[in-house]
Amino acid sequence: MNYLEQQTEQLLEQRTEKFIKDSLFSDEVLDMISENMRPIDTLMSYYKCASMEVETKFKVLNEQFSLKYDCNPIESIKTRIKSMDSILKKIRRKNIPLSFEAIENEIRDIAGVRVICSFIEDIYMLADCFLAQDDITLIEIKDYIKNPKPSGYRSLHLIVEVPIFLHNEKRPMKVEVQIRTLAMDLWASQEHKLRYKKNIPEDEQENISAELADCAEIIASIDRRMENLRTRMKSSEYMEKAKKSSKNIGDLIRNGLKNTIGVNKY
Ligand code: 0O2
C-alpha cells in the first residue's frame, strides 16, 4: 500500500468510526439515558460493576485458600474495560448491528478480568471453585491451555454472566475471565506489544511470529516443570510428615506396651 492509499484508508477509518460513534450515542436508546450520562457511559459503568463483582469473588477465594491451606493460588488480578476503539473494531470485524442489545449479546469481553496464578493446576482449581458459585452462569469455556492458538497463546477463558445489583434492578452482565500462569502472561503481554508494532517487513514478521510460537512452547515446558517440582516437593513433604507421625505412633505404641508390660509385672 503506498502513502496515498494509506492516508485514504486512514481517513475512511476515521469517518467510519465517527459515524459509528455518532450512531451509538444517538436517540436510538434514549430510554437508557440517565439524567447526566450518555447511554454508552451507563453501559460501561455496568460492565465496570460486573468486573468488580468477579474480581471480588477471586479475591475471596484467594483469601480462603490462604486461611485454610496456607497457600495463595493467585499472584495478581487485573481488570479492564475494553476501549471504545477496540469495541468499534470488533463491531466492524464481526459485522455486529449497531444496537446496544446486539453489542451486549455479541461482544462478550467488554468487561475483562485476568487472574494470574503460579501453577497450571491452580488455574483449573480456581475455575472450578468460581463456576460452582450459584450466581455465576457459564456461557462458554475456551481452553487455550489444552488447545493453544496457532500463535502459541495459552490461557483459560471463561465467558460468564454475573448479576449486578442496581438500585432498582438486578442485571446480568457478561464478563470474560482469563486465567493464566505468570509465564503465560509474560508471553501474552510481550506478544501483544509486538503484534501492534508497525512498519515491519512481512518476511520479518513471519520470522518473529515463528520465534514467538517457539518461545510459547519453551514457556509451556517451564510451566510443566515447575508444576512437577511442586508436586515432588508436596509429596516428599507429605512422606516426611507421614514418617515422623508413624515414628511417633511407633514410639507411642512401644511406650504403651512397656507401660502395659510394666503394669502386668506388678
Ligand atoms: P484486548 O486488548 O485484550 O481486548 P469472542 O470474544 O469469543 O467473540 P475473540 O475475540 O476472537 O472472539 O476471542 P478469543 O480469541 O477467544 O480471545 C480474545 C482475547 O484473548 C483477546 O482480546 C486477547 O486478550 C486474548 N488473545 C487471544 N488470542 C491471543 C493471541 O494470540 N495473543 C495474545 N497476546 N492475546 C490473545 P482482544 O479483543 O484481541 O484484545
Side-chain angles (χ1 to χ4, degrees):
M1 204 186 276
N2 66 30
Y3 178 74
L4 199 64
E5 283 170 334
Q6 266 178 1
Q7 291 298 306
T8 320
E9 175 91 341
Q10 224 173 357
L11 199 67
L12 263 175
E13 266 192 23
Q14 281 167 1
R15 285 200 181 146
T16 323
E17 281 189 13
K18 186 173 179 326
F19 166 76
I20 294 173
K21 276 182 182 164
D22 289 347
S23 311
L24 281 176
F25 302 152
S26 75
D27 300 343
E28 192 195 354
V29 271
L30 264 179
D31 55 339
M32 270 187 68
I33 299 180
S34 61
E35 298 101 273
N36 302 314
M37 282 178 112
R38 291 180 309 177
I40 192 74
D41 292 334
T42 310
L43 185 62
M44 290 303 145
S45 82
Y46 292 167
Y47 278 113
K48 189 162 181 249
C49 297
S51 67
M52 279 155 50
E53 288 280 351
V54 171
E55 182 185 18
T56 304
K57 282 176 177 290
F58 279 101
K59 281 186 172 164
V60 168
L61 284 174
N62 203 37
E63 182 65 23
Q64 205 209 350
F65 276 93
S66 157
L67 277 175
K68 212 168 166 190
Y69 304 110
D70 198 22
C71 70
N72 292 83
I74 299 176
E75 289 290 334
S76 65
I77 307 177
K78 300 173 202 161
T79 62
R80 73 105 180 83
I81 300 299
K82 208 174 181 65
S83 71
M84 202 55 212
D85 248 25
S86 222
I87 295 177
L88 293 172
K89 276 186 194 140
K90 209 159 196 175
I91 288 176
R92 221 174 311 156
R93 180 161 58 87
K94 295 195 156 189
N95 237 336
I96 296 170
L98 287 177
S99 74
F100 280 110
E101 203 191 346
I103 293 170
E104 274 201 80
N105 281 337
E106 297 189 39
I107 307 189
R108 303 173 313 169
D109 62 343
I110 295 180
V113 177
R114 192 168 286 160
V115 181
I116 314 294
C117 307
S118 298
F119 299 99
I120 299 172
E121 204 182 25
D122 293 341
I123 295 178
Y124 292 102
M125 181 273 295
L126 282 168
D128 283 347
C129 294
F130 172 67
L131 293 174
Q133 301 185 5
D134 61 11
D135 53 352
I136 294 293
T137 308
L138 176 65
I139 296 174
E140 193 182 349
I141 294 191
K142 295 189 201 175
D143 192 341
Y144 296 128
I145 299 175
K146 293 206 171 89
N147 308 298
K149 286 205 160 188
S151 60
Y153 177 75
R154 284 167 170 80
S155 191
L156 181 71
H157 289 196
L158 312 173
I159 319 282
V160 297
E161 222 163 48
V162 62
I164 57 166
F165 295 87
L166 303 167
H167 76 285
N168 56 356
E169 65 168 325
K170 175 177 160 187
R171 204 175 192 286
M173 299 297 300
K174 291 191 179 67
V175 177
E176 181 186 77
V177 183
Q178 299 181 346
I179 319 180
R180 52 172 80 146
T181 62
L182 278 162
M184 291 171 191
D185 191 50
L186 169 78
W187 182 92
S189 54
Q190 293 311 313
E191 191 259 4
H192 192 265
K193 277 186 211 155
L194 293 173
R195 210 152 30 103
Y196 286 102
K197 291 262 181 277
K198 300 236 160 62
N199 301 323
I200 298 175
E202 216 169 287
D203 55 339
E204 182 58 353
Q205 256 179 32
E206 276 172 24
N207 293 337
I208 291 173
S209 295
E211 184 137 1
L212 277 167
D214 198 33
C215 289
E217 287 303 320
I218 298 170
I219 278 176
S221 121
I222 292 176
D223 266 338
R224 285 191 295 271
R225 286 175 69 181
M226 294 301 283
E227 181 126 307
N228 283 341
L229 280 175
R230 180 169 79 159
T231 311
R232 270 172 62 188
M233 282 165 78
K234 264 193 196 164
S235 62
S236 65
E237 200 184 4
Y238 177 80
M239 294 295 280
E240 210 42 40
K241 268 191 193 155
K243 254 196 244 164
K244 273 192 190 139
S245 66
S246 70
K247 185 176 171 294
N248 289 345
I249 290 170
D251 287 350
L252 269 175
I253 294 172
R254 270 189 296 279
N255 288 339
L257 273 177
K258 262 190 217 154
N259 289 344
T260 320
I261 293 163
V263 169
N264 281 346
K265 269 187 180 169
Y266 286 101

